[in-house]
Amino acid sequence: MALPDSFLDELVARSDIVEIVQHYVPLKKSGSNYFGLCPFHNERSPSFSVSPDKQIFHCFGCGEGGGVIQFVMKIEGLPFLDAVRMLADRAGMEMPSDREQSDEQRRARERMLGMNRDAARWFHSLLQQPQGEQAQAYFARRGLSRRTVTRFGLGWAENSWDGLLKHLTGLGYRPAEIEKAGLAVRGSSGGLYDRFRGRVMFPIIDVRGNVIAFGGRVLDDSKPKYLNSPDTPVFHKNRNLFALNLAKKSRQGRLILAEGYMDVIALHQAGFDCAVASLGTSLTDEQAKLMSRYTKEAVICYDSDEAGQKAAQRAIDILNRAGLEVRVLRVPGAKDPDEYIRENGSEAFGLLLRKPQTDGEYRVAQLAAQYDLTQDDGRIAFLKAAVPMLAAMPNRIEREIYAHSAAQMAGLSESAVLAEVGRACARGERRKRQETERKALQPLRQVQPHERELRYQNPRSALCEEKLLALVLQDQELLDKARKKVSPGAFSSDFLAKIYQKAIERREQGLELSAAACMAGLPENEVRHLSGVLAESVRSREPEREIDDYIGTILFEYEKRTEQDGDDLLRKAAGRRRSKEGG
Ligand SMILES: [Zn+2]
């Protein structure tokens, strides 16, 4: 659905980017811009800038950038329309689409949620019947009480091709709706059949209490062991967590992140009602962000095997990025928390949970496990690997604490380890300073956009096109002068020509010429590049002369290109003539 430009303009005008960014990132004013630590990558000194004049943000470290809408999309993990809706709510504006389209959409959504609820009831009722016996036996074997089975609404999908289909069509749902909800699959011959067959069923419920999807597990060794609903209009697996509907009410002050449905259920049953799991995917930034709405602390409790521990390392970074304090809990002598609780009881798990490792401790311990610390060689190799990791930790106190534990593990003096870490930090700072200086000395550095799709054919011209755009997007009189002398058709880059064309159209329609508004509908890679171009441009003292220089180059390069094309055509024509004469 396309939103009218006038609506987006008003939205951007009413949403001051500095004010909005400040909700998430502390900013300090410096010159005409604001600076802070980038929320999109880890850094110690601020390279994240927000320009109130241009109404854009740009990170000189990682290259993220855009206008206020892109900022909200990125930081909240929202698609475009949802970000627009969030800003519109904040600005007290009504979404234009809410009036016409959404009634129908809302009805379809509610129907799908109703169907999911009916399906969950059906699976749950089958579990109580004789044909659900083996599923009941499975849950009993896994130690689940009847109360837990009811609390999680667990169920059984019978091993038939159309049991659920018949049930749902009997309730008045159309086959196409059932397919769209991911409950049925269309076979190669065109017929529909049940997606979940012969599986114990775990309904996935969102924080509002809606059944949005299902996970199903087989009882034997057939593959796939777990099968999940596909993404549907009511379910996005990257943006939901299993059992968050229950865990959000927990009073334990943190969330435990486990790997699987059964771990989460076992934890809840044992009294740890703050457990959640990602849904058949590895943890995503959106899921971490969602967790951070309910807690400040996350405890990762993954499987003990290598894959689980690798996933835990990854999850630490993702959760840190979402601003969560991270701890890691390992279950000694068991393959996962479910097994640990079954073998040792919930009290033993409670004791473990009293002192989970901090992420730093966990990392040092994981690293130490890779070396033989009884040997000198092993100790040296361990230290070599630990020093850069310690030096990368963002604060001094952390570095000292973990340098201490690393030193203890390797049987070395703490001061020696700290000295090494100090030297590595200094090297890092020095490299960073040199990098900044290098950038300052080479304003023309990388002309090429990072994204391959945007690669410039004619960098010389494209650079001038970028600079021209940066100037005219800030001053409509300059745009009026420029458009008389050079048209978008003379640009070498289609991408830059498109922005220029958009600016001209907006001017003709009497719309405001804001960079943020021009960026509104662009794909992410284009926004990133453009925000960088704009953020680096400085107000020129003689903008008109500068613009004439740029136009001069653009036109010169354009003529060169057209002449070449002309030559090519002539050559081709000549070639054809020759081949005709020859034949
Ligand atoms: Zn950044």
Side-chain angles (χ1 to χ4, degrees):
M1 162 189 32
L3 292 165
D5 276 351
S6 56
F7 172 80
L8 286 176
D9 285 354
E10 196 186 339
L11 182 75
V12 168
R14 284 213 217 166
S15 310
D16 179 56
I17 192 162
V18 176
E19 211 183 305
I20 285 168
V21 171
Q22 254 164 350
H23 281 298
Y24 304 90
V25 184
L27 293 175
K28 269 206 188 109
K29 191 153 191 200
S30 161
S32 59
N33 291 331
Y34 289 80
F35 285 88
L37 291 174
C38 177
F40 306 118
H41 81 282
N42 266 326
E43 63 175 7
R44 282 185 236 169
S45 53
S47 44
F48 178 80
S49 74
V50 182
S51 159
D53 304 337
K54 302 168 193 161
Q55 285 290 309
I56 57 165
F57 74 97
H58 182 74
C59 172
F60 292 96
C62 65
E64 278 304 339
V68 69
I69 301 174
Q70 282 86 14
F71 180 79
V72 171
M73 286 169 71
K74 200 82 207 162
I75 197 128
E76 290 285 345
L78 293 174
F80 179 74
L81 273 180
D82 290 350
V84 167
R85 177 161 289 136
M86 191 174 147
L87 286 169
D89 282 349
R90 192 183 159 281
M93 292 168 64
E94 195 185 350
M95 294 282 285
S97 54
D98 283 355
R99 286 160 235 159
E100 317 122 32
Q101 248 194 354
S102 61
D103 261 1
E104 193 184 321
Q105 268 177 357
R106 204 175 305 132
R107 260 199 308 277
R109 213 185 123 83
E110 268 159 25
R111 231 176 121 73
M112 191 173 283
L113 291 173
M115 185 191 334
N116 281 340
R117 198 176 47 237
D118 287 331
R121 283 195 184 130
W122 167 253
F123 294 139
H124 190 63
S125 73
L126 288 182
L127 182 68
Q128 327 292 336
Q129 291 167 25
Q131 50 168 314
E133 236 165 45
Q134 44 171 342
Q136 273 189 42
Y138 170 79
F139 286 136
R141 214 161 50 241
R142 301 293 297 253
L144 300 192
S145 68
R146 285 187 80 91
R147 201 166 154 258
T148 299
V149 169
T150 312
R151 186 169 161 73
F152 281 87
L154 306 183
W156 169 246
E158 58 186 327
N159 205 353
S160 98
W161 291 100
D162 58 0
L164 181 67
L165 263 171
K166 274 190 184 143
H167 176 68
L168 289 177
T169 43
L171 291 175
Y173 296 105
R174 291 187 298 277
E177 287 177 307
I178 302 171
E179 184 188 6
K180 202 169 174 196
L183 291 168
V185 184
R186 198 167 288 283
S188 49
S189 58
L192 271 184
Y193 59 90
D194 287 353
R195 177 185 298 270
F196 299 102
R197 302 177 309 278
R199 287 172 184 269
V200 289
M201 297 298 291
F202 303 86
I204 296 159
I205 300 171
D206 71 8
V207 287
R208 280 172 233 96
N210 299 311
V211 179
I212 51 175
F214 294 90
R217 187 198 192 281
V218 289
L219 294 178
D220 51 21
D221 286 332
S222 55
K223 300 271 158 127
K225 188 161 140 195
Y226 281 96
L227 180 68
N228 290 312
S229 298
D231 279 10
T232 68
V234 301
F235 175 59
H236 304 279
K237 64 173 179 299
N238 288 343
R239 274 189 260 148
N240 286 284
L241 289 158
F242 180 62
L244 186 61
N245 58 313
L246 301 171
K248 70 166 190 178
K249 296 181 225 147
S250 166
R251 289 162 178 243
Q252 300 187 6
R254 53 183 162 199
L255 289 174
I256 300 175
L257 180 66
E259 265 189 86
Y261 302 127
M262 284 309 293
D263 291 321
V264 168
I265 296 174
L267 283 163
H268 278 251
Q269 179 169 287
F272 308 99
D273 62 356
C274 57
V276 298
S278 54
L279 297 159
T281 58
S282 41
L283 188 74
T284 65
D285 284 314
E286 287 106 317
Q287 287 167 334
K289 201 80 219 170
L290 181 61
M291 287 172 74
S292 74
R293 283 192 208 156
Y294 297 95
T295 188
K296 284 191 165 32
E297 186 188 313
V299 182
I300 302 172
C301 189
Y302 278 5
D303 292 359
S304 312
D305 61 3
E306 206 189 319
Q309 294 310 302
K310 261 204 188 123
Q313 298 260 20
R314 238 191 105 250
I316 291 175
D317 291 331
I318 296 173
L319 293 165
N320 271 330
R321 266 209 298 280
L324 286 161
E325 223 169 90
V326 184
R327 296 186 176 262
V328 186
L329 184 67
R330 306 194 57 187
V331 284
K335 72 175 181 356
D336 55 33
D338 177 25
E339 186 183 279
Y340 185 86
I341 290 171
R342 257 184 293 143
E343 284 175 5
N344 304 282
S346 54
E347 264 171 43
F349 187 83
L351 282 177
L352 282 185
L353 195 56
R354 277 204 203 152
K355 40 179 181 8
Q357 290 176 309
T358 60
D359 47 357
E361 281 165 352
Y362 175 78
R363 283 186 159 141
V364 172
Q366 283 293 104
L367 195 63
Q370 296 171 26
Y371 300 94
D372 178 2
L373 299 182
T374 62
Q375 302 294 319
D376 280 348
D377 289 356
R379 288 211 293 267
I380 292 169
F382 164 63
L383 200 61
K384 267 194 181 153
V387 163
M389 184 186 79
L390 292 165
M393 289 183 175
N395 81 59
R396 193 174 55 86
I397 298 171
E398 261 183 76
R399 287 200 293 276
E400 285 181 5
I401 293 173
Y402 302 124
H404 173 79
S405 37
Q408 270 194 333
M409 285 177 193
L412 292 157
S413 89
E414 189 183 334
S415 57
V417 177
L418 267 178
E420 279 299 315
V421 172
R423 272 194 286 278
C425 282
R427 273 198 301 277
E429 293 292 333
R430 204 158 53 232
R431 243 198 321 274
K432 202 159 183 193
R433 221 170 26 245
Q434 283 164 351
E435 177 71 7
T436 339
E437 277 164 16
R438 197 182 57 78
K439 269 191 191 160
L441 288 173
Q442 286 182 292
L444 298 189
R445 30 97 251 163
Q446 323 123 320
V447 183
Q448 288 291 10
H450 291 300
E451 281 76 15
R452 200 165 280 282
E453 313 90 85
L454 295 182
R455 285 289 146 113
Y456 293 145
Q457 302 286 328
N458 183 336
R460 202 174 129 80
S461 179
L463 185 61
C464 292
E465 291 157 25
E466 286 185 349
K467 303 226 165 216
L468 175 81
L469 272 178
L471 286 173
V472 302
L473 282 176
Q474 292 173 63
D475 184 338
Q476 46 194 36
E477 277 175 31
L478 283 179
L479 175 65
D480 288 339
K481 292 208 170 94
R483 57 194 266 225
K484 284 189 200 126
K485 297 178 187 167
V486 62
S487 75
F491 275 36
S492 68
S493 151
D494 292 343
F495 154 57
L496 298 171
K498 183 172 73 180
I499 311 287
Y500 186 46
Q501 178 70 38
K502 204 164 177 179
I504 292 173
E505 279 167 14
R506 292 181 68 88
R507 183 79 182 111
E508 280 165 359
Q509 292 162 16
L511 292 169
E512 202 203 331
L513 201 68
S514 79
C518 282
M519 282 196 261
L522 298 179
E524 197 185 331
N525 58 349
E526 299 188 353
V527 169
R528 281 168 66 112
H529 183 64
L530 192 63
S531 76
V533 170
L534 294 172
E536 282 181 31
S537 84
V538 262
R539 223 169 217 316
S540 156
R541 269 198 221 114
E542 292 177 277
E544 291 181 27
R545 231 190 72 194
E546 221 180 281
I547 276 217
D548 280 340
D549 287 347
Y550 299 143
I551 293 176
T553 307
I554 295 170
L555 291 175
F556 177 77
E557 292 293 320
Y558 173 69
E559 274 160 27
K560 250 181 24 191
R561 280 200 307 278
T562 41
E563 268 169 33
Q564 236 168 37
D565 290 350
D567 287 353
D568 283 352
L569 277 177
L570 285 177
R571 220 173 296 126
K572 271 187 200 142
R576 261 201 304 279
R577 220 171 14 249
R578 260 200 308 280
S579 66
K580 259 187 198 158
E581 284 162 6

